């Protein structure tokens, strides 16, 4: 199987039966699957012998001297600045009553064609290939009134987001000196990856629920519509 051009924290990269987890990745023991721990471009290191398995790793920024040099426009030492209209991927760092704090990790160009990026076989987090990984996370906030387009007064942030969720949002304002303002008030925006309280990666079953495939229990989220 081929590796994605760009990975974000929590993205499955391959089974442990075929690969060895390296720096920037971790092994999910329940599913025996290697997941990304960092945002960046995965690198496959050839094993020293035929009896060994190749190693998957993700450099923190650019490939280090211990890796085979790889030139990539996706990973750079220069921080990519989000602008109004940019679609971003980020990780929820804190949930408050009036809003959700997010660390932006990947920025896409304004007007990105999600259908073209995701293709016919797109996934819940489809379209990573068009984005640029930020050298450092940008602080952002999803305000309560920007979570969804309807019944805004009934929104409870803790029912739509949890710390650690990976979120797809759009920048609606450059905000203040501390945070960008994001919105998830479109069908394709919201949580694209979440783990259950039991620690299992869940899959979406509706616009506001994820299900744990191991326990069968459901948890509420503001779900991004899968491509």
């Amino acid at each position: 199987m081929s590796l994605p051009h760009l990975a974000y924290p929590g993205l499955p990269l391959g089974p442990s039966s075929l690969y060895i987890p390296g720096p920037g990745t971790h092994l999910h023991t329940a599913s025996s699957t290697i997941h990304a721990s960092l945002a960046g471009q995965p690198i496959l290191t050839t094993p020293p012998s035929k009896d060994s398995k190749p190693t998957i790793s993700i450099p923190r920024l650019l490939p280090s001297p211990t890796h085979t040099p790889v030139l990539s426009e996706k990973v750079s030492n220069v921080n990519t600045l989000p602008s109004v209209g940019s679609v971003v991927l980020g990780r929820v760092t804190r949930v408050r009553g009036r809003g959700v704090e997010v660390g932006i990790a990947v920025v896409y160009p304004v007007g990105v064609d999600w259908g073209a990026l995701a293709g016919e076989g797109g996934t819940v987090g489809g379209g990573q290939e068009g984005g640029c990984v930020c050298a450092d996370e940008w602080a952002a906030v999803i305000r309560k009134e920007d979570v969804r387009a309807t019944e805004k007064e009934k929104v409870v942030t803790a029912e739509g987001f949890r710390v650690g969720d990976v979120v797809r949002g759009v920048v609606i304002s450059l905000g203040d000196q501390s945070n960008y303002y994001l919105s998830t008030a479109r069908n394709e925006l919201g949580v694209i990856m979440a783990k259950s309280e039991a620690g299992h990666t869940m899959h979406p079953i509706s616009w506001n629920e994820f299900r744990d495939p191991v326990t069968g229990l459901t948890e509420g989220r503001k779900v991004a519509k899968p491509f």
Side-chain angles (χ1 to χ4, degrees):
M1 63 180 292
S2 60
L3 296 178
H5 293 290
L6 185 66
Y8 53 82
L11 181 71
L13 300 176
S16 59
S17 59
L18 298 179
Y19 304 106
I20 297 174
T25 69
H26 64 275
L27 177 63
H28 193 276
T29 55
S31 61
S32 298
T33 305
I34 298 172
H35 291 248
S37 299
L38 302 173
Q41 185 180 39
I43 292 177
L44 198 61
T45 304
T46 305
S49 65
K50 294 182 179 180
D51 298 330
S52 303
K53 294 180 288 188
T55 299
I56 300 177
S57 59
I58 301 177
R60 184 168 295 275
L61 285 176
L62 291 174
S64 69
T66 59
H67 296 91
T68 302
V70 175
L71 297 178
S72 173
E73 61 182 11
K74 310 300 181 186
V75 184
S76 103
N77 284 316
V78 180
N79 245 351
T80 303
L81 284 171
S83 57
V84 175
S86 297
V87 176
V88 299
L89 293 182
R91 181 177 59 86
V92 175
T93 57
R94 191 170 185 177
V95 178
R96 296 172 177 263
R98 292 295 305 164
V100 180
E101 297 181 11
V102 177
I104 298 175
V106 180
V107 178
Y108 295 87
V110 176
V112 62
D113 184 350
W114 286 100
L117 285 177
E120 296 181 359
T123 64
V124 143
Q128 280 74 249
E129 290 80 358
C132 292
V133 179
C134 302
D136 298 298
E137 288 188 347
W138 296 107
V141 171
I142 304 172
R143 295 172 297 184
K144 182 179 178 179
E145 58 269 27
D146 297 322
V147 170
R148 65 187 188 206
T150 60
E151 298 182 323
K152 297 181 179 182
E153 68 282 355
K154 296 182 180 180
V155 170
V156 178
T157 55
E159 294 179 356
F161 304 90
R162 302 281 178 87
V163 174
D165 289 351
V166 178
V167 176
R168 183 193 300 129
V170 62
V171 179
I172 58 173
S173 171
L174 300 182
D176 51 29
Q177 294 180 346
S178 302
N179 299 289
Y180 289 90
Y181 288 161
L182 306 181
S183 171
T184 56
R186 297 200 318 237
N187 289 342
E188 71 273 18
L189 304 177
V191 178
I192 63 173
M193 179 171 289
K195 286 191 175 183
S196 66
E197 292 184 357
H200 306 132
T201 300
M202 300 187 291
H203 59 264
I205 58 173
S206 71
W207 69 272
N208 64 349
E209 281 187 315
F210 272 85
R211 173 175 289 159
D212 186 324
V214 179
T215 65
L217 300 177
T218 61
E219 294 184 15
R221 294 293 196 281
K222 197 295 179 183
V223 182
K225 181 180 179 180
F227 291 110

